[in-house]
PDB file of all heavy atoms in Angstrom:
ATOM      1  N   ALA A   1      -6.557  -0.008  -6.078  1.00 96.00           N
ATOM      2  CA  ALA A   1      -7.904  -0.002  -5.500  1.00 96.00           C
ATOM      3  C   ALA A   1      -7.857  -0.412  -4.031  1.00 96.00           C
ATOM      4  O   ALA A   1      -8.509   0.205  -3.181  1.00 96.00           O
ATOM      5  CB  ALA A   1      -8.825  -0.929  -6.282  1.00 96.00           C
ATOM      6  N   CYS A   2      -7.075  -1.445  -3.731  1.00 97.00           N
ATOM      7  CA  CYS A   2      -6.945  -1.893  -2.336  1.00 97.00           C
ATOM      8  C   CYS A   2      -6.324  -0.796  -1.478  1.00 97.00           C
ATOM      9  O   CYS A   2      -6.751  -0.567  -0.337  1.00 97.00           O
ATOM     10  CB  CYS A   2      -6.100  -3.158  -2.256  1.00 97.00           C
ATOM     11  SG  CYS A   2      -6.890  -4.601  -2.977  1.00 97.00           S
ATOM     12  N   TYR A   3      -5.334  -0.133  -2.027  1.00 95.00           N
ATOM     13  CA  TYR A   3      -4.696   0.977  -1.308  1.00 95.00           C
ATOM     14  C   TYR A   3      -5.734   2.056  -0.980  1.00 95.00           C
ATOM     15  O   TYR A   3      -5.808   2.532   0.154  1.00 95.00           O
ATOM     16  CB  TYR A   3      -3.560   1.553  -2.151  1.00 95.00           C
ATOM     17  CG  TYR A   3      -2.951   2.808  -1.579  1.00 95.00           C
ATOM     18  CD1 TYR A   3      -2.068   2.737  -0.503  1.00 95.00           C
ATOM     19  CD2 TYR A   3      -3.266   4.059  -2.101  1.00 95.00           C
ATOM     20  CE1 TYR A   3      -1.512   3.889   0.038  1.00 95.00           C
ATOM     21  CE2 TYR A   3      -2.720   5.214  -1.567  1.00 95.00           C
ATOM     22  CZ  TYR A   3      -1.850   5.119  -0.497  1.00 95.00           C
ATOM     23  OH  TYR A   3      -1.301   6.265   0.044  1.00 95.00           O
ATOM     24  N   LEU A   4      -6.546   2.413  -1.968  1.00 97.00           N
ATOM     25  CA  LEU A   4      -7.576   3.433  -1.724  1.00 97.00           C
ATOM     26  C   LEU A   4      -8.620   2.952  -0.730  1.00 97.00           C
ATOM     27  O   LEU A   4      -9.107   3.730   0.094  1.00 97.00           O
ATOM     28  CB  LEU A   4      -8.241   3.830  -3.048  1.00 97.00           C
ATOM     29  CG  LEU A   4      -7.349   4.588  -4.027  1.00 97.00           C
ATOM     30  CD1 LEU A   4      -8.075   4.791  -5.349  1.00 97.00           C
ATOM     31  CD2 LEU A   4      -6.888   5.918  -3.446  1.00 97.00           C
ATOM     32  N   ILE A   5      -8.952   1.683  -0.781  1.00 97.00           N
ATOM     33  CA  ILE A   5      -9.928   1.132   0.166  1.00 97.00           C
ATOM     34  C   ILE A   5      -9.397   1.224   1.595  1.00 97.00           C
ATOM     35  O   ILE A   5     -10.099   1.684   2.502  1.00 97.00           O
ATOM     36  CB  ILE A   5     -10.310  -0.312  -0.207  1.00 97.00           C
ATOM     37  CG1 ILE A   5     -11.218  -0.302  -1.445  1.00 97.00           C
ATOM     38  CG2 ILE A   5     -10.989  -1.032   0.960  1.00 97.00           C
ATOM     39  CD1 ILE A   5     -11.476  -1.666  -2.054  1.00 97.00           C
ATOM     40  N   VAL A   6      -8.154   0.795   1.823  1.00 96.00           N
ATOM     41  CA  VAL A   6      -7.641   0.851   3.194  1.00 96.00           C
ATOM     42  C   VAL A   6      -7.450   2.294   3.657  1.00 96.00           C
ATOM     43  O   VAL A   6      -7.541   2.565   4.854  1.00 96.00           O
ATOM     44  CB  VAL A   6      -6.343   0.024   3.390  1.00 96.00           C
ATOM     45  CG1 VAL A   6      -6.611  -1.459   3.180  1.00 96.00           C
ATOM     46  CG2 VAL A   6      -5.204   0.508   2.533  1.00 96.00           C
ATOM     47  N   GLN A   7      -7.224   3.211   2.725  1.00 95.00           N
ATOM     48  CA  GLN A   7      -7.130   4.616   3.110  1.00 95.00           C
ATOM     49  C   GLN A   7      -8.500   5.177   3.528  1.00 95.00           C
ATOM     50  O   GLN A   7      -8.567   6.128   4.305  1.00 95.00           O
ATOM     51  CB  GLN A   7      -6.564   5.461   1.958  1.00 95.00           C
ATOM     52  CG  GLN A   7      -5.119   5.169   1.646  1.00 95.00           C
ATOM     53  CD  GLN A   7      -4.196   5.394   2.830  1.00 95.00           C
ATOM     54  OE1 GLN A   7      -4.319   6.353   3.569  1.00 95.00           O
ATOM     55  NE2 GLN A   7      -3.268   4.477   3.017  1.00 95.00           N
ATOM     56  N   ASN A   8      -9.578   4.570   3.024  1.00 95.00           N
ATOM     57  CA  ASN A   8     -10.933   5.031   3.322  1.00 95.00           C
ATOM     58  C   ASN A   8     -11.647   4.148   4.343  1.00 95.00           C
ATOM     59  O   ASN A   8     -12.803   4.387   4.662  1.00 95.00           O
ATOM     60  CB  ASN A   8     -11.759   5.098   2.034  1.00 95.00           C
ATOM     61  CG  ASN A   8     -11.397   6.305   1.206  1.00 95.00           C
ATOM     62  OD1 ASN A   8     -11.846   7.400   1.474  1.00 95.00           O
ATOM     63  ND2 ASN A   8     -10.538   6.108   0.216  1.00 95.00           N
ATOM     64  N   ALA A   9     -10.970   3.150   4.865  1.00 95.00           N
ATOM     65  CA  ALA A   9     -11.580   2.223   5.823  1.00 95.00           C
ATOM     66  C   ALA A   9     -11.505   2.789   7.240  1.00 95.00           C
ATOM     67  O   ALA A   9     -10.847   3.797   7.491  1.00 95.00           O
ATOM     68  CB  ALA A   9     -10.867   0.871   5.745  1.00 95.00           C
ATOM     69  N   GLY A  10     -12.177   2.091   8.158  1.00 87.00           N
ATOM     70  CA  GLY A  10     -12.243   2.521   9.552  1.00 87.00           C
ATOM     71  C   GLY A  10     -10.874   2.627  10.202  1.00 87.00           C
ATOM     72  O   GLY A  10     -10.227   1.605  10.427  1.00 87.00           O
ATOM     73  N   PRO A  11     -10.431   3.841  10.513  1.00 83.00           N
ATOM     74  CA  PRO A  11      -9.076   4.041  11.034  1.00 83.00           C
ATOM     75  C   PRO A  11      -8.852   3.454  12.429  1.00 83.00           C
ATOM     76  O   PRO A  11      -7.714   3.312  12.854  1.00 83.00           O
ATOM     77  CB  PRO A  11      -8.924   5.565  11.046  1.00 83.00           C
ATOM     78  CG  PRO A  11     -10.315   6.086  11.144  1.00 83.00           C
ATOM     79  CD  PRO A  11     -11.178   5.088  10.406  1.00 83.00           C
ATOM     80  N   ARG A  12      -9.907   3.099  13.121  1.00 87.00           N
ATOM     81  CA  ARG A  12      -9.743   2.538  14.468  1.00 87.00           C
ATOM     82  C   ARG A  12      -9.349   1.056  14.442  1.00 87.00           C
ATOM     83  O   ARG A  12      -8.951   0.513  15.458  1.00 87.00           O
ATOM     84  CB  ARG A  12     -11.032   2.713  15.265  1.00 87.00           C
ATOM     85  CG  ARG A  12     -11.310   4.161  15.576  1.00 87.00           C
ATOM     86  CD  ARG A  12     -12.444   4.306  16.552  1.00 87.00           C
ATOM     87  NE  ARG A  12     -12.666   5.716  16.798  1.00 87.00           N
ATOM     88  CZ  ARG A  12     -13.838   6.294  16.764  1.00 87.00           C
ATOM     89  NH1 ARG A  12     -14.918   5.589  16.513  1.00 87.00           N
ATOM     90  NH2 ARG A  12     -13.959   7.574  17.001  1.00 87.00           N
ATOM     91  N   LYS A  13      -9.498   0.439  13.292  1.00 91.00           N
ATOM     92  CA  LYS A  13      -9.172  -0.985  13.176  1.00 91.00           C
ATOM     93  C   LYS A  13      -7.672  -1.131  12.950  1.00 91.00           C
ATOM     94  O   LYS A  13      -7.119  -0.580  12.007  1.00 91.00           O
ATOM     95  CB  LYS A  13      -9.942  -1.617  12.020  1.00 91.00           C
ATOM     96  CG  LYS A  13     -11.435  -1.597  12.221  1.00 91.00           C
ATOM     97  CD  LYS A  13     -12.143  -2.207  11.042  1.00 91.00           C
ATOM     98  CE  LYS A  13     -13.647  -2.128  11.275  1.00 91.00           C
ATOM     99  NZ  LYS A  13     -14.372  -2.949  10.343  1.00 91.00           N
ATOM    100  N   GLU A  14      -7.030  -1.908  13.799  1.00 90.00           N
ATOM    101  CA  GLU A  14      -5.587  -2.075  13.684  1.00 90.00           C
ATOM    102  C   GLU A  14      -5.195  -2.765  12.388  1.00 90.00           C
ATOM    103  O   GLU A  14      -4.162  -2.459  11.810  1.00 90.00           O
ATOM    104  CB  GLU A  14      -5.051  -2.834  14.899  1.00 90.00           C
ATOM    105  CG  GLU A  14      -5.160  -2.016  16.172  1.00 90.00           C
ATOM    106  CD  GLU A  14      -4.617  -2.739  17.390  1.00 90.00           C
ATOM    107  OE1 GLU A  14      -3.922  -3.754  17.228  1.00 90.00           O
ATOM    108  OE2 GLU A  14      -4.885  -2.269  18.498  1.00 90.00           O
ATOM    109  N   VAL A  15      -6.042  -3.681  11.922  1.00 92.00           N
ATOM    110  CA  VAL A  15      -5.726  -4.375  10.669  1.00 92.00           C
ATOM    111  C   VAL A  15      -5.773  -3.408   9.481  1.00 92.00           C
ATOM    112  O   VAL A  15      -5.080  -3.618   8.492  1.00 92.00           O
ATOM    113  CB  VAL A  15      -6.641  -5.608  10.469  1.00 92.00           C
ATOM    114  CG1 VAL A  15      -8.069  -5.207  10.129  1.00 92.00           C
ATOM    115  CG2 VAL A  15      -6.068  -6.548   9.428  1.00 92.00           C
ATOM    116  N   VAL A  16      -6.550  -2.347   9.591  1.00 93.00           N
ATOM    117  CA  VAL A  16      -6.585  -1.322   8.541  1.00 93.00           C
ATOM    118  C   VAL A  16      -5.236  -0.611   8.476  1.00 93.00           C
ATOM    119  O   VAL A  16      -4.701  -0.379   7.390  1.00 93.00           O
ATOM    120  CB  VAL A  16      -7.747  -0.330   8.759  1.00 93.00           C
ATOM    121  CG1 VAL A  16      -7.629   0.878   7.839  1.00 93.00           C
ATOM    122  CG2 VAL A  16      -9.092  -1.030   8.552  1.00 93.00           C
ATOM    123  N   ALA A  17      -4.667  -0.290   9.627  1.00 91.00           N
ATOM    124  CA  ALA A  17      -3.346   0.339   9.656  1.00 91.00           C
ATOM    125  C   ALA A  17      -2.309  -0.589   9.021  1.00 91.00           C
ATOM    126  O   ALA A  17      -1.444  -0.146   8.262  1.00 91.00           O
ATOM    127  CB  ALA A  17      -2.949   0.675  11.094  1.00 91.00           C
ATOM    128  N   LEU A  18      -2.409  -1.871   9.307  1.00 91.00           N
ATOM    129  CA  LEU A  18      -1.515  -2.839   8.693  1.00 91.00           C
ATOM    130  C   LEU A  18      -1.701  -2.845   7.177  1.00 91.00           C
ATOM    131  O   LEU A  18      -0.729  -2.867   6.423  1.00 91.00           O
ATOM    132  CB  LEU A  18      -1.783  -4.233   9.266  1.00 91.00           C
ATOM    133  CG  LEU A  18      -0.944  -5.369   8.704  1.00 91.00           C
ATOM    134  CD1 LEU A  18       0.527  -5.176   9.021  1.00 91.00           C
ATOM    135  CD2 LEU A  18      -1.434  -6.699   9.257  1.00 91.00           C
ATOM    136  N   GLY A  19      -2.956  -2.800   6.723  1.00 92.00           N
ATOM    137  CA  GLY A  19      -3.244  -2.770   5.291  1.00 92.00           C
ATOM    138  C   GLY A  19      -2.717  -1.512   4.624  1.00 92.00           C
ATOM    139  O   GLY A  19      -2.193  -1.559   3.501  1.00 92.00           O
ATOM    140  N   GLN A  20      -2.837  -0.390   5.305  1.00 92.00           N
ATOM    141  CA  GLN A  20      -2.328   0.862   4.750  1.00 92.00           C
ATOM    142  C   GLN A  20      -0.822   0.761   4.525  1.00 92.00           C
ATOM    143  O   GLN A  20      -0.309   1.148   3.477  1.00 92.00           O
ATOM    144  CB  GLN A  20      -2.658   2.029   5.680  1.00 92.00           C
ATOM    145  CG  GLN A  20      -4.122   2.361   5.705  1.00 92.00           C
ATOM    146  CD  GLN A  20      -4.498   3.350   6.792  1.00 92.00           C
ATOM    147  OE1 GLN A  20      -3.774   3.536   7.766  1.00 92.00           O
ATOM    148  NE2 GLN A  20      -5.653   3.985   6.637  1.00 92.00           N
ATOM    149  N   THR A  21      -0.129   0.216   5.489  1.00 90.00           N
ATOM    150  CA  THR A  21       1.322   0.052   5.363  1.00 90.00           C
ATOM    151  C   THR A  21       1.658  -0.966   4.282  1.00 90.00           C
ATOM    152  O   THR A  21       2.526  -0.725   3.435  1.00 90.00           O
ATOM    153  CB  THR A  21       1.928  -0.373   6.709  1.00 90.00           C
ATOM    154  OG1 THR A  21       1.621   0.634   7.681  1.00 90.00           O
ATOM    155  CG2 THR A  21       3.425  -0.557   6.615  1.00 90.00           C
ATOM    156  N   TYR A  22       0.969  -2.104   4.307  1.00 92.00           N
ATOM    157  CA  TYR A  22       1.250  -3.162   3.338  1.00 92.00           C
ATOM    158  C   TYR A  22       1.101  -2.656   1.903  1.00 92.00           C
ATOM    159  O   TYR A  22       2.016  -2.819   1.089  1.00 92.00           O
ATOM    160  CB  TYR A  22       0.322  -4.359   3.569  1.00 92.00           C
ATOM    161  CG  TYR A  22       0.385  -5.370   2.459  1.00 92.00           C
ATOM    162  CD1 TYR A  22       1.421  -6.290   2.391  1.00 92.00           C
ATOM    163  CD2 TYR A  22      -0.576  -5.389   1.447  1.00 92.00           C
ATOM    164  CE1 TYR A  22       1.496  -7.219   1.354  1.00 92.00           C
ATOM    165  CE2 TYR A  22      -0.512  -6.311   0.411  1.00 92.00           C
ATOM    166  CZ  TYR A  22       0.524  -7.214   0.379  1.00 92.00           C
ATOM    167  OH  TYR A  22       0.594  -8.111  -0.657  1.00 92.00           O
ATOM    168  N   PHE A  23      -0.041  -2.035   1.581  1.00 91.00           N
ATOM    169  CA  PHE A  23      -0.267  -1.619   0.190  1.00 91.00           C
ATOM    170  C   PHE A  23       0.619  -0.448  -0.210  1.00 91.00           C
ATOM    171  O   PHE A  23       1.043  -0.360  -1.357  1.00 91.00           O
ATOM    172  CB  PHE A  23      -1.752  -1.340  -0.061  1.00 91.00           C
ATOM    173  CG  PHE A  23      -2.556  -2.599  -0.142  1.00 91.00           C
ATOM    174  CD1 PHE A  23      -3.394  -2.984   0.884  1.00 91.00           C
ATOM    175  CD2 PHE A  23      -2.445  -3.439  -1.241  1.00 91.00           C
ATOM    176  CE1 PHE A  23      -4.121  -4.180   0.818  1.00 91.00           C
ATOM    177  CE2 PHE A  23      -3.153  -4.630  -1.324  1.00 91.00           C
ATOM    178  CZ  PHE A  23      -4.000  -4.995  -0.281  1.00 91.00           C
ATOM    179  N   ALA A  24       0.962   0.428   0.730  1.00 89.00           N
ATOM    180  CA  ALA A  24       1.883   1.519   0.409  1.00 89.00           C
ATOM    181  C   ALA A  24       3.275   0.966   0.109  1.00 89.00           C
ATOM    182  O   ALA A  24       3.905   1.348  -0.880  1.00 89.00           O
ATOM    183  CB  ALA A  24       1.942   2.518   1.564  1.00 89.00           C
ATOM    184  N   VAL A  25       3.753   0.046   0.934  1.00 89.00           N
ATOM    185  CA  VAL A  25       5.085  -0.524   0.748  1.00 89.00           C
ATOM    186  C   VAL A  25       5.140  -1.359  -0.529  1.00 89.00           C
ATOM    187  O   VAL A  25       6.095  -1.259  -1.307  1.00 89.00           O
ATOM    188  CB  VAL A  25       5.501  -1.360   1.986  1.00 89.00           C
ATOM    189  CG1 VAL A  25       6.744  -2.192   1.700  1.00 89.00           C
ATOM    190  CG2 VAL A  25       5.726  -0.451   3.179  1.00 89.00           C
ATOM    191  N   GLN A  26       4.119  -2.171  -0.778  1.00 87.00           N
ATOM    192  CA  GLN A  26       4.111  -3.006  -1.977  1.00 87.00           C
ATOM    193  C   GLN A  26       4.078  -2.153  -3.243  1.00 87.00           C
ATOM    194  O   GLN A  26       4.719  -2.487  -4.238  1.00 87.00           O
ATOM    195  CB  GLN A  26       2.932  -3.983  -1.960  1.00 87.00           C
ATOM    196  CG  GLN A  26       3.035  -5.038  -0.871  1.00 87.00           C
ATOM    197  CD  GLN A  26       4.320  -5.836  -0.949  1.00 87.00           C
ATOM    198  OE1 GLN A  26       4.733  -6.283  -1.999  1.00 87.00           O
ATOM    199  NE2 GLN A  26       4.966  -6.012   0.195  1.00 87.00           N
ATOM    200  N   THR A  27       3.322  -1.066  -3.198  1.00 83.00           N
ATOM    201  CA  THR A  27       3.252  -0.161  -4.349  1.00 83.00           C
ATOM    202  C   THR A  27       4.625   0.469  -4.589  1.00 83.00           C
ATOM    203  O   THR A  27       5.092   0.542  -5.732  1.00 83.00           O
ATOM    204  CB  THR A  27       2.177   0.916  -4.125  1.00 83.00           C
ATOM    205  OG1 THR A  27       0.917   0.261  -3.980  1.00 83.00           O
ATOM    206  CG2 THR A  27       2.111   1.901  -5.287  1.00 83.00           C
ATOM    207  N   LEU A  28       5.270   0.895  -3.527  1.00 85.00           N
ATOM    208  CA  LEU A  28       6.603   1.482  -3.657  1.00 85.00           C
ATOM    209  C   LEU A  28       7.595   0.467  -4.220  1.00 85.00           C
ATOM    210  O   LEU A  28       8.394   0.785  -5.105  1.00 85.00           O
ATOM    211  CB  LEU A  28       7.089   2.010  -2.302  1.00 85.00           C
ATOM    212  CG  LEU A  28       8.457   2.674  -2.288  1.00 85.00           C
ATOM    213  CD1 LEU A  28       8.514   3.875  -3.229  1.00 85.00           C
ATOM    214  CD2 LEU A  28       8.815   3.095  -0.870  1.00 85.00           C
ATOM    215  N   LYS A  29       7.541  -0.766  -3.735  1.00 84.00           N
ATOM    216  CA  LYS A  29       8.438  -1.817  -4.247  1.00 84.00           C
ATOM    217  C   LYS A  29       8.232  -2.029  -5.748  1.00 84.00           C
ATOM    218  O   LYS A  29       9.190  -2.164  -6.499  1.00 84.00           O
ATOM    219  CB  LYS A  29       8.191  -3.133  -3.516  1.00 84.00           C
ATOM    220  CG  LYS A  29       8.778  -3.200  -2.144  1.00 84.00           C
ATOM    221  CD  LYS A  29       8.478  -4.566  -1.524  1.00 84.00           C
ATOM    222  CE  LYS A  29       9.030  -4.701  -0.133  1.00 84.00           C
ATOM    223  NZ  LYS A  29       8.697  -6.017   0.463  1.00 84.00           N
ATOM    224  N   LYS A  30       6.968  -2.067  -6.181  1.00 82.00           N
ATOM    225  CA  LYS A  30       6.676  -2.256  -7.607  1.00 82.00           C
ATOM    226  C   LYS A  30       7.227  -1.100  -8.428  1.00 82.00           C
ATOM    227  O   LYS A  30       7.763  -1.304  -9.514  1.00 82.00           O
ATOM    228  CB  LYS A  30       5.168  -2.373  -7.842  1.00 82.00           C
ATOM    229  CG  LYS A  30       4.625  -3.749  -7.681  1.00 82.00           C
ATOM    230  CD  LYS A  30       5.051  -4.635  -8.823  1.00 82.00           C
ATOM    231  CE  LYS A  30       4.154  -5.827  -8.891  1.00 82.00           C
ATOM    232  NZ  LYS A  30       4.665  -6.954  -9.571  1.00 82.00           N
ATOM    233  N   GLU A  31       7.062   0.129  -7.917  1.00 82.00           N
ATOM    234  CA  GLU A  31       7.548   1.298  -8.639  1.00 82.00           C
ATOM    235  C   GLU A  31       9.071   1.266  -8.758  1.00 82.00           C
ATOM    236  O   GLU A  31       9.627   1.574  -9.810  1.00 82.00           O
ATOM    237  CB  GLU A  31       7.098   2.582  -7.938  1.00 82.00           C
ATOM    238  CG  GLU A  31       5.618   2.855  -8.083  1.00 82.00           C
ATOM    239  CD  GLU A  31       5.167   4.073  -7.298  1.00 82.00           C
ATOM    240  OE1 GLU A  31       6.015   4.840  -6.801  1.00 82.00           O
ATOM    241  OE2 GLU A  31       3.939   4.242  -7.174  1.00 82.00           O
ATOM    242  N   ILE A  32       9.748   0.871  -7.691  1.00 89.00           N
ATOM    243  CA  ILE A  32      11.215   0.787  -7.721  1.00 89.00           C
ATOM    244  C   ILE A  32      11.664  -0.271  -8.718  1.00 89.00           C
ATOM    245  O   ILE A  32      12.575  -0.041  -9.518  1.00 89.00           O
ATOM    246  CB  ILE A  32      11.774   0.514  -6.305  1.00 89.00           C
ATOM    247  CG1 ILE A  32      11.581   1.753  -5.432  1.00 89.00           C
ATOM    248  CG2 ILE A  32      13.243   0.116  -6.370  1.00 89.00           C
ATOM    249  CD1 ILE A  32      11.873   1.528  -3.957  1.00 89.00           C
ATOM    250  N   CYS A  33      11.012  -1.428  -8.704  1.00 83.00           N
ATOM    251  CA  CYS A  33      11.357  -2.495  -9.661  1.00 83.00           C
ATOM    252  C   CYS A  33      11.142  -2.034 -11.096  1.00 83.00           C
ATOM    253  O   CYS A  33      11.949  -2.315 -11.974  1.00 83.00           O
ATOM    254  CB  CYS A  33      10.533  -3.749  -9.386  1.00 83.00           C
ATOM    255  SG  CYS A  33      11.043  -4.629  -7.909  1.00 83.00           S
ATOM    256  N   SER A  34      10.059  -1.311 -11.312  1.00 78.00           N
ATOM    257  CA  SER A  34       9.758  -0.808 -12.645  1.00 78.00           C
ATOM    258  C   SER A  34      10.816   0.189 -13.096  1.00 78.00           C
ATOM    259  O   SER A  34      11.271   0.155 -14.244  1.00 78.00           O
ATOM    260  CB  SER A  34       8.372  -0.158 -12.646  1.00 78.00           C
ATOM    261  OG  SER A  34       8.089   0.397 -13.895  1.00 78.00           O
ATOM    262  N   GLN A  35      11.236   1.072 -12.199  1.00 83.00           N
ATOM    263  CA  GLN A  35      12.273   2.051 -12.531  1.00 83.00           C
ATOM    264  C   GLN A  35      13.615   1.368 -12.797  1.00 83.00           C
ATOM    265  O   GLN A  35      14.332   1.747 -13.720  1.00 83.00           O
ATOM    266  CB  GLN A  35      12.424   3.084 -11.401  1.00 83.00           C
ATOM    267  CG  GLN A  35      11.231   4.002 -11.250  1.00 83.00           C
ATOM    268  CD  GLN A  35      10.965   4.814 -12.498  1.00 83.00           C
ATOM    269  OE1 GLN A  35      11.874   5.271 -13.178  1.00 83.00           O
ATOM    270  NE2 GLN A  35       9.695   4.982 -12.829  1.00 83.00           N
ATOM    271  N   GLU A  36      13.937   0.345 -11.993  1.00 83.00           N
ATOM    272  CA  GLU A  36      15.180  -0.391 -12.212  1.00 83.00           C
ATOM    273  C   GLU A  36      15.171  -1.087 -13.568  1.00 83.00           C
ATOM    274  O   GLU A  36      16.171  -1.114 -14.269  1.00 83.00           O
ATOM    275  CB  GLU A  36      15.395  -1.418 -11.095  1.00 83.00           C
ATOM    276  CG  GLU A  36      15.785  -0.798  -9.778  1.00 83.00           C
ATOM    277  CD  GLU A  36      15.884  -1.807  -8.654  1.00 83.00           C
ATOM    278  OE1 GLU A  36      15.428  -2.968  -8.805  1.00 83.00           O
ATOM    279  OE2 GLU A  36      16.434  -1.440  -7.603  1.00 83.00           O
ATOM    280  N   LYS A  37      14.031  -1.633 -13.941  1.00 80.00           N
ATOM    281  CA  LYS A  37      13.906  -2.299 -15.235  1.00 80.00           C
ATOM    282  C   LYS A  37      14.116  -1.290 -16.373  1.00 80.00           C
ATOM    283  O   LYS A  37      14.822  -1.579 -17.335  1.00 80.00           O
ATOM    284  CB  LYS A  37      12.525  -2.943 -15.348  1.00 80.00           C
ATOM    285  CG  LYS A  37      12.334  -3.784 -16.567  1.00 80.00           C
ATOM    286  CD  LYS A  37      10.975  -4.457 -16.545  1.00 80.00           C
ATOM    287  CE  LYS A  37      10.748  -5.303 -17.760  1.00 80.00           C
ATOM    288  NZ  LYS A  37       9.441  -5.961 -17.746  1.00 80.00           N
ATOM    289  N   LYS A  38      13.536  -0.107 -16.243  1.00 80.00           N
ATOM    290  CA  LYS A  38      13.713   0.936 -17.256  1.00 80.00           C
ATOM    291  C   LYS A  38      15.179   1.342 -17.366  1.00 80.00           C
ATOM    292  O   LYS A  38      15.695   1.538 -18.464  1.00 80.00           O
ATOM    293  CB  LYS A  38      12.847   2.155 -16.933  1.00 80.00           C
ATOM    294  CG  LYS A  38      11.383   1.951 -17.198  1.00 80.00           C
ATOM    295  CD  LYS A  38      10.590   3.189 -16.830  1.00 80.00           C
ATOM    296  CE  LYS A  38       9.100   2.945 -16.977  1.00 80.00           C
ATOM    297  NZ  LYS A  38       8.309   4.120 -16.548  1.00 80.00           N
TER     298      LYS A  38
END
């Protein structure tokens, strides 16, 4: 949900760009950990 929110937030805000990167990277990390566990 947070990832979708930052994707739909005001693109001119620099903190939004930071949020987009943060939630994308964290999601990827979780997916990799999940795959490693499997």
